[in-house]
C-alpha cells in the first residue's frame, strides 16, 4: 500500500523492526512433533508499523521499489522470518513482487527464493537482492519469472520438501493501492496497477472466486515444496466493493485448507503505530478518501489499522495434502 505519513526518526535503542518479538526470545518453537507452539510471551498482535513504510525501506531497498502498488511492510516479513525459521533455512515467496520477503530473509541469514509473474517487479527484486548483499546480507536468494499457480513445474524438483517457510500476500486488485501527485485537474493517481491491465493472467484482475481458486493452486504448490511441519504465513485484508465487504482473509483460510494445509494461527500485523497505548493510524490517501466518502453517505467506516496474518502448517504425512 502507499503510505504518505511523515518520516519518523529512530528512537534511542529502538530495534530496526520493533514489531519483532523482544530479542526473539518469544519465537514459535517446534516441538518434537513438529507443531509450532507459541511460548507464553508471544503476542498475536505484531507491532510492525512503529516506523512508517518509507522509513523501513529507506536505504534498505532501491528507490524503484516504491512503484509497486502493494508492497508488504518489511517489518511484517522480518517478523515472520525470525518467528518461524532458523538461520540457514529456506524461505519462499511465490508472489514476491519487489522482493521484500527475500531481502528480509537474506539479511537474517536465511536463503530465499521468489517467484514473480511481472518482469518489471522481478527486475526490481533482483536489484533489491543485489543491494542487500552490498549491505552485508549473508543469505542467498534468487527470483524465478513465471506463473506461481504452476510452482511444481516452475521450480526445481530438488526443492520439494526443502522449504521451511512461505511468506506471501495475494493481490488486492488494481483499485486499492497506488501513489498520488498534484495534477492539472486535482489529484492524479499513478503506480496503482500491477501491469497495464491487459494481461488477465494476473490474479489481481480476477474476482474473489477466481482469486481464491488461483491462490489455492499456489498454496498446493507451496505445500509440496514445504518440509514436513513447515509454515505458511499469508497477509490479507478485506476491502469494500460497491459498499459490500469482500472477505479476502476468510477466502484465503478456505483456500489453504482445500490445499491440504492446517490452519494454526490467526494474528494481526499492525499498520498503525502504538503510542502511549493508542493506535496512530497511517492511512493511504485512498483509504482517507474512501472513509470520508462513506461517512458523508452515512456509512460509519473506520481507517484500516491492521492486516490479518493467516498461518498454516504442512502436515507431516504427504498423503494428507490431497
Amino acid at each position: 500500500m502507499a503510505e504518505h505519513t511523515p518520516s519518523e526518526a529512530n528512537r534511542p535503542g529502538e530495534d530496526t523492526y520493533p514489531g519483532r518479538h523482544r530479542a526473539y526470545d518469544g519465537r514459535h518453537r517446534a516441538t518434537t512433533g513438529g507443531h509450532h507452539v507459541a511460548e507464553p510471551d508471544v503476542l498475536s498482535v505484531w507491532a510492525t508499523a512503529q516506523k512508517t513504510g518509507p522509513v523501513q525501506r529507506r536505504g534498505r531497498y532501491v528507490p524503484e521499489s516504491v512503484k509497486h502498488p502493494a508492497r508488504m511492510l518489511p517489518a511484517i516479513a522480518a517478523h515472520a522470518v525470525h518467528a518461524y525459521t532458523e538461520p540457514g533455512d529456506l524461505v519462499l515467496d511465490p508472489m514476491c513482487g519487489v522482493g521484500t520477503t527475500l531481502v528480509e530473509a537474506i539479511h537474517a541469514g536465511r536463503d530465499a527464493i521468489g517467484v514473480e509473474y511481472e518482469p518489471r517487479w522481478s527486475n526490481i527484486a533482483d536489484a533489491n537482492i543485489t543491494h542487500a548483499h552490498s549491505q552485508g546480507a549473508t543469505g542467498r536468494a534468487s527470483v524465478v519469472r513465471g506463473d506461481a499457480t504452476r510452482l511444481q513445474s516452475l521450480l526445481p524438483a530438488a526443492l520439494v520438501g526443502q522449504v521451511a517457510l512461505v511468506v506471501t500476500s495475494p493481490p488486492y486488485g488494481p483499485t486499492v493501492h497506488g501513489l498520488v501527485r498534484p495534477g492539472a485537474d486535482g489529484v492524479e493517481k499513478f503506480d496503482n496497477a500491477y501491469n497495464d491491465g491487459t494481461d488477465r493472467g494476473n490474479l489481481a484482475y480476477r474476482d474473489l472466486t477466481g482469486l481464491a481458486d488461483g491462490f489455492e493452486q499456489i498454496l498446493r504448490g507451496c505445500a509440496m515444496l514445504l518440509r514436513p511441519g513447515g509454515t505458511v504465513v499469508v497477509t490479507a485484508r478485506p476491502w469494500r466493493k460497491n459498499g459490500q465487504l469482500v472477505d479476502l482473509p476468510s477466502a484465503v483460510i478456505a483456500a489453504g485448507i482445500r490445499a491440504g494445509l492446517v490452519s494454526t494461527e490467526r494474528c494481526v500485523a499492525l499498520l498503525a503505530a502504538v503510542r502511549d497505548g493508542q493506535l496512530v493510524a497511517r492511512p493511504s490517501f485512498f483509504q482517507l478518501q474512501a472513509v470520508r466518502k462513506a461517512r458523508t453517505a452515512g456509512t460509519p467506516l473506520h481507517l484500516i489499522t491492521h492486516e490479518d496474518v493467516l498461518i498454516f502448517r504442512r502436515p507431516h504425512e504427504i498423503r494428507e495434502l490431497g
Side-chain angles (χ1 to χ4, degrees), residues 97-137:
V98 296
T100 301
T101 297
L102 314 185
V103 168
E104 298 310 318
I106 63 176
H107 271 298
R110 281 69 166 169
D111 294 332
I113 186 165
V115 175
E116 175 51 42
Y117 185 77
E118 302 286 348
R120 178 187 184 188
W121 310 129
S122 64
N123 289 338
I124 295 176
D126 280 336
N128 277 324
I129 292 168
T130 299
H131 184 60
H133 285 143
S134 74
Q135 294 184 317

Side-chain angles (χ1 to χ4, degrees), residues 136-180:
T138 58
R140 299 168 298 173
S142 62
V143 180
V144 176
R145 282 76 170 171
D147 184 350
T149 63
R150 300 183 177 90
L151 278 181
Q152 286 182 262
S153 61
L154 197 61
L155 297 180
L159 292 181
V160 172
Q162 300 302 307
V163 174
L165 173 68
V166 173
V167 181
T168 196
S169 179
Y172 298 108
T175 62
V176 189
H177 303 281
L179 300 174
V180 293

Side-chain angles (χ1 to χ4, degrees), residues 193-262:
Y194 293 87
N195 56 28
D196 61 6
T198 61
D199 185 353
R200 297 297 161 174
N202 193 312
L203 291 186
Y205 297 98
R206 298 187 184 182
D207 60 14
L208 181 61
T209 300
L211 173 58
D213 289 345
F215 202 63
E216 177 187 341
Q217 290 179 274
I218 293 172
L219 292 179
R220 284 185 180 276
C222 291
M224 297 302 297
L225 294 167
L226 280 167
R227 66 191 185 192
T231 303
V232 177
V233 174
V234 181
T235 66
R237 73 178 78 161
W239 72 88
R240 289 189 179 272
K241 183 175 182 180
N242 300 323
Q244 300 299 310
L245 188 70
V246 180
D247 190 359
L248 180 59
S250 292
V252 168
I253 292 174
I257 292 172
R258 292 196 304 270
L261 298 168
V262 177

